[in-house]
Amino acid sequence: IVGSVQPGGFRGTFMEYEDFVEFRAETRSFEAWALYPRGYVETILDSSSEPLLVQDMLVTPELFPMLGIDAALGRTLLARDADPDSPNAVVISYELWQRAFGDDADVLGRTVPMRWGTYSIVGVAQPRADVPANNWMSYPILWRPVRTGSTPQMAFTALARLRPGVSIDAGRAELAALAASLAAGRPDTHEGRTATVTLLRDTIVANVKRMLWIFFCAVSCVLLIGVANLTMLQLARN
């Protein structure tokens, strides 16, 4: 996870869309980039049955192959869907397909009215598809593309995959150099900006890492006690 940090701006592992476009274009240590919003936006989905709260995920199409999310029906978002002149396309989650559309196999091509406009369903994601570090898993999801040339004002999470043979330290060094270059060239908007790199694994287990270690130690102790008891029983039997 790559973050773009500036005093007074988004902090932690957040990134603004403009920085994502810059980092994706200028870095060579990473072979793929993807973007999705941090948190969620409540959107009323006016389905055929009743209004429903969903997670409105404004993403780049590369997110699906990066996370290994395939389509159960239709397709996932493609690069052409991000073209400003292309029709409004949306991919819905498997759970949303079940709740709002009753497992209808003819859901492809149906329209979804939202506050941003009317979107046509091009695919249904595989069951239980989600994004990392998402705290709103109880809501069904729909994914729509970030349009090329747009400047959405929201906090995003940026994922980047290192090229084979490139170390994470090399990736960090390149991003730090680019952030420093941006800060020097655009002092009005990027003064003091730095870049952060966090392993996705560490982000996912960050809040439960200590608990996982405690659980591991407890299980190990129980296992050792069981082994000791079996050993004593065997010795007594002998």
Side-chain angles (χ1 to χ4, degrees):
I1 294 181
V2 180
S4 177
V5 184
Q6 182 178 22
F10 295 128
R11 295 181 177 275
T13 56
F14 296 158
M15 180 175 288
E16 298 174 6
Y17 181 71
E18 295 88 341
D19 284 357
F20 170 81
V21 173
E22 194 84 32
F23 284 10
R24 180 176 58 180
E26 298 297 330
T27 54
R28 297 294 177 266
S29 298
F30 303 90
E31 64 177 357
W33 287 78
L35 198 72
Y36 65 91
R38 189 60 181 261
Y40 80 113
V41 177
E42 288 189 3
T43 300
I44 298 296
L45 175 67
D46 185 13
S47 65
S48 58
S49 55
E50 60 182 15
L52 181 67
L53 284 178
V54 299
Q55 295 182 68
D56 177 20
M57 288 285 178
L58 189 63
V59 304
T60 55
E62 297 84 1
L63 181 71
F64 294 92
M66 179 172 285
L67 296 181
I69 298 176
D70 295 320
L73 286 176
R75 63 173 176 84
T76 57
L77 295 177
L78 302 176
R80 67 173 184 263
D81 295 319
D83 191 311
D85 297 325
S86 64
N88 289 337
V90 67
V91 174
I92 63 174
S93 67
Y94 195 90
E95 292 73 23
L96 181 56
W97 176 54
Q98 291 179 318
R99 290 179 59 179
F101 300 97
D103 295 347
D104 185 0
D106 295 326
V107 70
L108 300 181
R110 292 178 60 176
T111 57
V112 177
M114 300 170 60
R115 74 173 80 174
W116 321 110
T118 300
Y119 285 75
S120 178
I121 299 174
V122 298
V124 177
Q126 65 191 38
R128 295 177 297 280
D130 204 349
V131 297
N134 179 24
N135 298 322
W136 307 97
M137 296 178 64
S138 59
Y139 290 100
I141 305 173
L142 58 81
W143 295 270
R144 57 191 181 92
V146 181
R147 296 293 194 182
T148 303
S150 65
T151 54
Q153 299 300 314
M154 58 193 307
F156 286 95
T157 295
L159 301 180
R161 180 185 294 128
L162 287 166
R163 294 186 184 277
V166 178
S167 68
I168 189 172
D169 290 335
R172 283 195 175 103
E174 184 180 22
L175 288 170
L178 178 57
S181 177
L182 291 175
R186 305 175 190 173
D188 55 333
T189 59
H190 284 66
E191 183 179 3
R193 183 154 304 197
T194 59
T196 62
V197 179
T198 308
L199 289 176
L200 181 59
R201 174 194 60 205
D202 294 341
T203 301
I204 293 174
V205 303
N207 295 328
V208 295
K209 188 174 183 179
R210 182 177 181 183
M211 185 174 295
L212 288 174
W213 274 111
I214 294 174
F215 182 74
F216 173 76
C217 292
V219 170
S220 299
C221 289
V222 172
L223 179 61
L224 288 175
I225 292 172
V227 171
N229 287 338
L230 289 175
T231 302
M232 295 299 295
L233 286 172
Q234 188 63 40
L235 288 174
R237 181 181 181 184
N238 292 338

